[in-house]
């Protein structure tokens, strides 16, 4: 063996642990917001979160370190794709805005609270890569690195997409 | 503006840069035309999205399926569940009727949980999954008497009950993609709306009409003198004023 080969870093498998089903409820709120941003419908979002939990609990799941939320978000996206394919075969009209109670961030100013509803509506209109990115970072709260891992892309791509997603959402806010 | 500028703007807006890297980013930002405005736009959206819809009470801890306790216990349970599911599907197929639709039709026998929604012209002030419940009293004499919400096989549903001369029907809207209608159902078309009809003989002769509004499965079920009544009610849109 050459010296270079000896010095080559060895890929150490990342330790995995079983996803604890008891912790699923902790992520309900964030997953619901993500689902609502994707579907623009309270009922569809509820169904999507429920479907996500059911998929997760079908068999034991293993995640790396504390990546539960990123993993759950990926399953939620897969469930949404599956539902979208079914839905695409049917002609539907967009659901109207629904009455939902909104939770305002304590530190947000009143304008931000008003912007939130419009922003969620605008996210539903984004292209899939931009929508997935802004949902992962701004709604679910993943770091750039976690979002990149969840969306199987590079961190730089995440930041670039996030910039463009926010620009487009801001255009929608500005037009209001 | 370069891609590097965009990533720096994102990081500055999110506050993920610190120390020397932050100073360098701010210097670079100062050289970008309308950089401050672009930064403010990024911050505005990020801040707005800290607020969001509250988690509905229906999506509470009870709605998270219970986890399995142990692998040894889970195996027989999983086998039993699979067998039960297969038997359920088999029985449902024998009956020629998907289980979710059966449950939806069965809601006609249940009690309302709350008063009838108020009237708003040709519609009620009750809307679910993009489907407006119609006001049939003025046109057909079917008066809304109550409503309820349920979860059927993981789908949310909303039901409004109507009564007319001692007869009672339930109009249920199911969330999610449309369901397949039973094979044995008779299919007709009225005013452009495809309606599947069958009689649920297991429940004392309930008539059931299944149709779609706004891509949702709607189930009209109950005792009526003639099946054509359900067809007439299902197809009515109040000259287009009842949004579907």
């Amino acid at each position: 063996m050459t010296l270079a080969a000896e010095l080559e870093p060895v890929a150490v498998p990342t330790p995995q642990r079983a996803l604890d089903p008891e912790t699923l409820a902790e992520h309900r709120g964030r997953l619901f917001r993500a689902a609502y941003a994707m579907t623009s419908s309270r009922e569809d979002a509820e169904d999507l979160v429920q479907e996500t939990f059911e998929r997760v609990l079908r068999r034991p799941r293993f995640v790396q370190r504390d990546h539960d939320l990123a993993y759950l978000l990926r399953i939620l996206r897969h469930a949404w794709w599956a539902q979208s394919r079914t839905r695409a075969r049917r002609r539907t009209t967009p659901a109207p805005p629904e009455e939902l109670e909104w939770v305002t961030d304590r530190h947000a100013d009143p304008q931000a609270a008003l912007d939130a509803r419009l922003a969620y509506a605008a996210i539903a209109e984004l292209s899939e890569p931009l929508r997935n990115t802004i949902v992962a970072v701004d709604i679910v709260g993943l770091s750039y690195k976690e979002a990149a891992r969840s969306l199987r892309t590079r961190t730089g791509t995440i930041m670039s997409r996030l910039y463009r997603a926010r620009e487009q959402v801001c255009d929608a806010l500005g037009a209001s | 503006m370069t891609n590097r500028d965009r990533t720096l703007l994102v990081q500055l807006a999110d506050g993920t840069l610190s120390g020397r890297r932050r100073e360098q980013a701010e210097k670079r930002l100062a050289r970008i035309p309308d950089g401050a405005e672009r930064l403010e736009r990024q911050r505005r959206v990020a801040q707005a999205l800290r607020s969001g819809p509250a988690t509905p009470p229906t999506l509470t801890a009870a709605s998270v399926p219970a986890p399995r306790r142990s692998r040894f216990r889970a195996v027989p349970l999983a086998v039993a569940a699979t067998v039960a599911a297969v038997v359920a599907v088999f029985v449902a197929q024998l009956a020629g009727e998907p289980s979710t639709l059966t449950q939806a039709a069965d809601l006609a026998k249940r009690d309302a949980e709350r008063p009838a929604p108020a009237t708003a012209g040709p519609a009620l002030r009750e809307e679910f999954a993009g489907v407006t419940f119609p006001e049939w009293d003025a046109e057909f004499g079917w008066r809304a008497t109550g409503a309820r919400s349920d979860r059927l096989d993981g789908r949310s549903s909303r039901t409004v009950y109507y009564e007319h001369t001692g007869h009672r029907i339930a109009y249920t809207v199911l969330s999610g993609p449309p369901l397949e209608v039973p094979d044995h159902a008779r299919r007709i078309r009225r005013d452009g709306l495809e309606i599947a009809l069958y009689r649920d003989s297991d429940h004392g002769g309930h008539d059931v009409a299944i149709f779609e509004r706004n891509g949702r499965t709607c189930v009209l079920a109950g005792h009526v003198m003639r099946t054509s009544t359900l067809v007439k009610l299902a197809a009515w849109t109040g000259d287009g004023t009842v949004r579907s």
Side-chain angles (χ1 to χ4, degrees), chain A residues 21 28-29 33 43-44 46-47 50 57 59 90 93 96 101-103 105 115-116 144 160 163 166-167 171, chain B residues 1 3 14 38 41-42 44 51-52 54-55 58-61 63 65 67-68 127-128 154 175 212 214 216:
Chain A
R28 215 168 30 217
R33 287 186 180 190
E43 288 78 25
D44 286 347
E46 281 186 59
D47 289 348
Q50 191 75 14
L57 293 173
R59 56 184 172 82
R90 312 272 181 169
T93 53
E101 188 186 341
W102 283 66
V103 179
D105 181 69
D115 284 350
Y144 308 136
S160 175
Y163 176 85
R166 286 175 180 171
E167 274 288 309
D171 284 344
Chain B
M1 194 165 65
N3 209 33
D14 292 344
R38 286 173 187 271
R41 286 167 64 84
Q42 292 287 308
R44 183 182 176 190
S51 302
T55 310
T58 46
L59 197 64
T60 57
S63 68
R68 292 173 293 187
E127 189 173 295
F128 180 73
S175 68
E212 284 180 29
N214 194 34
R216 312 293 184 184

Side-chain angles (χ1 to χ4, degrees), chain B residues 98-118:
Chain B
S99 62
T100 311
L101 287 175
T102 305
Q103 293 175 44
D106 278 355
L107 289 173
K109 295 184 298 182
R110 306 280 292 274
D111 294 328
E113 289 175 337
R114 55 181 185 277

